[in-house]
Every structure is written in C-alpha cells, then in structure tokens.
Amino acid sequence: MLTRLKVDGFKNLIGFEVDFGPFNCMAGANGVGKSNIFDVIHFLSLLADHKIIEAAQQIRNGDPETGGLRDLFWTNGERHAEAFSITAEMLIEPDVLDDFGRSTRASSTFLRYDLCIGYVAPTETEPLENVVLLWESLNYITKGETSGRLRFPHSAKEFRNSVVFNKRRVRSGYISTEVGADGQTEILIHQEGDSSGRPQRAPARSAPKTIVGTSNTSTTPTILAARREMQRWRMLALEPSAMRGVDRLYAQHNTITANGDFLPATLYRLEKDALRRGEPAEEIRIRIANRLAQFVPIRDLRVDVDQVRQLLTLEVREASGGWLPARSLSDGTLRFLTLCIMVEDYQSRGLICMEEPENGIHPAKMQAMVQLLRELSVDPEAAVDGDQGDNPLRQIIVATHSPTFVQMQEPDDLLLACAVKMRTPEGRITTTVRCRPLSTSGKSTWRTSETEPGVSLDTILTYLTTLPGAQIKLPLDAIPS
C-alpha cells in the first residue's frame, strides 16, 4: 500500500508530494498531469521486474527502438533536468515467498524507498541515450512514527496493529548509498535483523537493475517483501478481448491480470478454495451476482467446465433465464463483472490504478460504481487479514475528469489535480501539478496540510459546472450540497 509519494524532476512533477489512503480519487482537466502521477507508480512497479532502461522505455508505451528517454525528465522548454528522484512510503505484507519457493518474513512492514535516476546523453563512443541509477535507499519507519505518517483515518487497534511492526534495532536501513573516497557511488545492502556486519556493496551507475529489483532470495526478506509489494502495483486497463477469453482447465495463472485476462480461471479457483474451507461454492457466485445486478440485469453466473477440451468458460444468466457466455456480453457488463470478481478475490492485493472508471457508465449507475471501487479497497477500521481473509491490503487510486463521478465522492477521498506556477531555483517560472484536498464550509479533510491547504467550494463548483462552449449551464443551486 502506497501511503506517500514524493517526486522531483519526473516529467512535469516538480517538488510534488501527495498522501494516499485506501481509496483515492484524483480529479482534474485533461493534460494537467494526472497520468504522470500514474506513470511514476508504474515506473516503480516496472523496476521491480525489469532493468532500469527497460522500465524507462515502457512508460506510457515508449518505443524501445526510438528511445525518447529524455522525455521522462522535467524540461522548461530550453533545457532538461539531468536527474529525477522518487520517494515512496509503503506498507508491505511481511510473509512472502522467494523465487525458489521458500517462505520468509520481513523484519519491518512500514518502509521508505528512495531512488534517483540520471540521464546519460549519447556520445561518439556511446551513440544511444541511457538512464542510470544514481542512488537508492530502503529504510524502515518505526511503529512510534506511524501515527504521524499514516495520515488517513484508521483504527490504531485493529488496522495499524495488524499491518505495522518493526524488529530492526540498528541505525542503518536495508539499503543505503555511499560515495567512496574515489568519488564512485556505491549501493550498500545491509544485513537483516539486528546484525551490524559488513554490508554488501555494488556500484550504482553500472547497475542494470535496482537493488530492490534484484532481490529474489530469503537472505534479504525485507527487501524482497518491498519488491513483492511493488510487483503488485497495477495499472488496470481492462480490454474486452481479454475479458471474453476462455481458460485452460489446469492453467497455472488463475488471478485476473491488469487487462482482464483469466476471469473463468479466477472464479473457478475461488469456488475450489471455498470448498476446501468447507463453504458452499454457490455463496461466492451469489455475492458476485448480487453486486453485478446493481449495474446490469444479471441473475446468476457460473463457470462451464468442458472436460473434453479442458476449457473453462464464464457464463451469466440474464433476467430472462437464458445463459450467455462472456464472449456475448457487452464491454460495460464485462467491466462490471471483472471488478465484482476482484472484490471477492483475496489474492487480488496491492495497489490498483484506474483511469476514467466512469467511461461507458450511465450517470444513474455512477454511485454504484463508486461503491464497488470503494469495496475493492481495504477497510482501515478493521484488521487486515492474511491470504484467505476478507479484508486484504488493497488500495485504489482512480483518475477522472467527470463532474458526475466527482460529485459521488466522499470529501476525504477527493484530490483536485491543478496546474500551478512555481519558480525554479534558477528563478524561472514553470508549470507543474499539485493535488489539492477539499476544504469546504470551514471543514478540512485529513489530507489538508500547511503545504496543501485545500481548495474552496467555489473552486470545485467552478470545475463541476463551467464547460467551455456549454449551451446549457447548470445553476449552482442545483448542485447537491
């Protein structure tokens, strides 16, 4: 769970800071920079599995052949920044498996991860541009510091005590950076637990991957757990062709992917897991069908098992009583169905980012969609469950520019992405983005701070009602209070 993000020098993000809770809605006009915030999160997730250069090329479908790496760095139109830095504070799940199937347990679960990426311009000897690791660190946040760092409302007894612990007592973190006497920057990997033994060292600039991205064994359990957390940060972009697919009966992959693959396999696994726990499998289907009925006239669903062809097909029953395979459903129905299954899937954990979830939804169904997305996020007033529980550590961040969708949000959940002017250290004026919380009728939300004092009700009403070229304008007194 990503609780705080700081970025400086990445695209148009300069001195950017934002706190996240379990459910977050970022509203703002097109082009203001909402997607760049998602790109930072996506970049961190890619670094958990890929080389640094590959992660940079994949941001927003970058073409590895043409590069374009310079575009990741802030520019004022005349020059680019030579580096960008990212800080991510996160809650992680302590129990993980390494790449060899061995179980291990992290010694800290509230972490701060920092890294800095530099740009290397082409030269005569190296004709291709490149990005390099300048520094990296992973440190723990003590339980005593937690109350001031987990800013969103939550139960200290239930939620906080179930997700935050720290057994590390030495001053050093798990990863740090040091500049040697020869001027070379080295990344230090410190031993786990209370040991103050000699750290392992690795040169920074020549490292093809980050240290977090290379951790794959139980010898560094906390670093590995941080990697597993970032691997679960997904940009949910559901594709109709993927959601309509059939699955192999004994396919190893049985969780829904970022594009919506493996719907039948996921529901089939949920049913089998329920039976192993001694619970009726139909209860899973009933809960999913009841949620889905809020959006579309669906009465039931099932997985058809073709033993001859070894295939699984997801089917739904319409109000008329007929059964339809997923390939016959509309795109909108498939999106709702996918999210409803994800709510029930305890293995669907981590951070889920989603752009414009309101697309294709009738305004009358918008509130049900918001409630569905909120159900996907962890309940901060309850204890976080393990692998089989009904309150997994799951977080939602959505980006929207729909006035209707914005009006359906709780004040605590809403951030307004605004373009702002700021002065650079060189004295130049540049435009960046800030995420402003609400501050209405004299009431602030937990997101309000000295640096982010909040936006007024007038600002929000202007955003909701003022449309360039509008022929019909909504009167202000028609806006629900």
Side-chain angles (χ1 to χ4, degrees), residues 323-338:
W323 287 92
L324 291 175
R327 63 178 177 273
S328 300
L329 302 178
S330 69
D331 294 357
T333 299
L334 287 168
R335 291 175 67 217
F336 297 140
L337 175 58
T338 301

Side-chain angles (χ1 to χ4, degrees), residues 109-143:
T109 59
F110 196 8
L111 304 174
R112 171 177 168 142
Y113 182 54
D114 297 88
L115 79 160
C116 184
I117 302 295
Y119 178 77
V120 179
T123 64
E124 291 185 2
T125 57
E126 295 290 341
L128 297 178
E129 60 180 352
N130 196 8
V131 287
V132 294
L133 179 64
L134 298 182
W135 49 263
E136 180 181 14
S137 70
L138 182 69
N139 214 330
Y140 60 89
I141 298 171
T142 67
K143 196 163 186 176

Side-chain angles (χ1 to χ4, degrees), residues 411-432:
D412 273 2
D413 299 330
L414 188 61
L415 290 163
L416 188 65
C418 310
V420 299
K421 300 288 186 180
M422 65 168 293
R423 189 177 298 275
T424 67
E426 296 83 8
R428 295 178 177 271
I429 301 297
T430 188
T431 301
T432 184

Side-chain angles (χ1 to χ4, degrees), residues 335 355-362 366 369 399-402 405:
R335 291 175 67 217
E355 292 205 66
E356 301 177 13
E358 71 277 0
N359 281 350
I361 301 175
H362 190 277
M366 204 78 79
M369 168 57 86
T400 181
H401 51 74
S402 164
F405 195 82

Side-chain angles (χ1 to χ4, degrees), residues 340-399:
C340 288
I341 293 175
M342 289 178 67
V343 170
E344 289 293 327
D345 187 9
Y346 53 87
Q347 289 190 14
S348 177
R349 305 194 299 277
L351 169 57
I352 298 172
C353 297
M354 193 173 184
E355 292 205 66
E356 301 177 13
E358 71 277 0
N359 281 350
I361 301 175
H362 190 277
K365 301 294 184 181
M366 204 78 79
Q367 181 60 49
M369 168 57 86
V370 172
Q371 183 58 37
L372 179 59
L373 291 171
R374 288 183 62 87
E375 285 186 54
L376 264 171
S377 60
V378 67
D379 180 358
E381 298 302 322
V384 172
D385 302 305
D387 289 347
Q388 304 280 327
D390 60 0
N391 192 33
L393 191 58
R394 188 164 52 202
Q395 182 182 25
I396 306 296
I397 305 175
V398 298

Side-chain angles (χ1 to χ4, degrees), residues 145-422:
E145 298 171 316
T146 302
S147 60
R149 305 288 271 270
L150 287 184
R151 297 186 58 209
F152 58 87
H154 64 277
S155 167
K157 179 180 178 181
E158 299 294 335
F159 179 82
R160 192 194 307 170
N161 286 343
S162 68
V163 296
V164 179
F165 69 81
N166 175 55
K167 295 182 179 180
R168 193 168 179 85
R169 297 293 179 264
V170 295
R171 182 175 299 178
S172 63
Y174 298 94
I175 303 172
S176 64
T177 300
E178 182 180 279
V179 179
D182 59 356
Q184 298 298 310
T185 303
E186 292 184 317
I187 310 296
L188 281 62
I189 305 99
H190 300 277
Q191 297 183 25
E192 193 78 14
D194 293 337
S195 172
S196 57
R198 297 173 63 110
Q200 299 179 43
R201 295 173 176 268
R205 290 183 68 93
S206 61
K209 300 181 71 173
T210 62
I211 297 301
V212 168
T214 58
S215 179
N216 63 354
T217 73
S218 57
T219 58
T220 54
T222 304
I223 301 176
L224 177 62
R227 180 189 177 200
R228 292 287 184 255
E229 169 62 24
M230 288 189 283
Q231 286 174 321
R232 285 192 287 261
W233 295 355
R234 295 180 289 169
M235 309 295 117
L236 198 65
L238 301 176
E239 298 176 4
S241 60
M243 295 183 287
R244 291 189 172 97
V246 298
D247 295 331
R248 293 292 177 184
L249 178 57
Y250 299 108
Q252 293 184 350
H253 201 116
N254 52 18
T255 56
I256 296 172
T257 61
N259 67 352
D261 258 328
F262 304 110
L263 290 187
T266 301
L267 181 55
Y268 187 68
R269 188 250 306 161
L270 290 175
E271 292 178 345
K272 294 296 183 184
D273 289 349
L275 291 174
R276 280 193 288 269
R277 296 193 301 268
E279 302 171 2
E282 57 267 21
E283 288 188 5
I284 293 284
R285 298 196 298 269
I286 290 172
R287 289 198 296 268
I288 295 173
N290 286 343
R291 284 194 181 92
L292 188 59
Q294 299 178 68
F295 304 96
V296 290
I298 297 297
R299 296 175 56 184
D300 201 358
L301 73 160
R302 68 186 182 190
V303 177
D304 178 69
V305 182
D306 187 334
Q307 294 287 358
V308 176
R309 296 190 297 163
Q310 302 279 286
L311 293 178
L312 302 174
T313 303
L314 185 59
E315 298 179 338
V316 301
R317 185 167 64 161
E318 295 183 303
S320 62
W323 287 92
L324 291 175
R327 63 178 177 273
S328 300
L329 302 178
S330 69
D331 294 357
T333 299
L334 287 168
R335 291 175 67 217
F336 297 140
L337 175 58
T338 301
L339 293 174
C340 288
I341 293 175
M342 289 178 67
V343 170
E344 289 293 327
D345 187 9
Y346 53 87
Q347 289 190 14
S348 177
R349 305 194 299 277
L351 169 57
I352 298 172
C353 297
M354 193 173 184
E355 292 205 66
E356 301 177 13
E358 71 277 0
N359 281 350
I361 301 175
H362 190 277
K365 301 294 184 181
M366 204 78 79
Q367 181 60 49
M369 168 57 86
V370 172
Q371 183 58 37
L372 179 59
L373 291 171
R374 288 183 62 87
E375 285 186 54
L376 264 171
S377 60
V378 67
D379 180 358
E381 298 302 322
V384 172
D385 302 305
D387 289 347
Q388 304 280 327
D390 60 0
N391 192 33
L393 191 58
R394 188 164 52 202
Q395 182 182 25
I396 306 296
I397 305 175
V398 298
T400 181
H401 51 74
S402 164
T404 303
F405 195 82
V406 167
Q407 291 180 79
M408 301 299 172
Q409 305 303 316
E410 296 289 338
D412 273 2
D413 299 330
L414 188 61
L415 290 163
L416 188 65
C418 310
V420 299
K421 300 288 186 180
M422 65 168 293

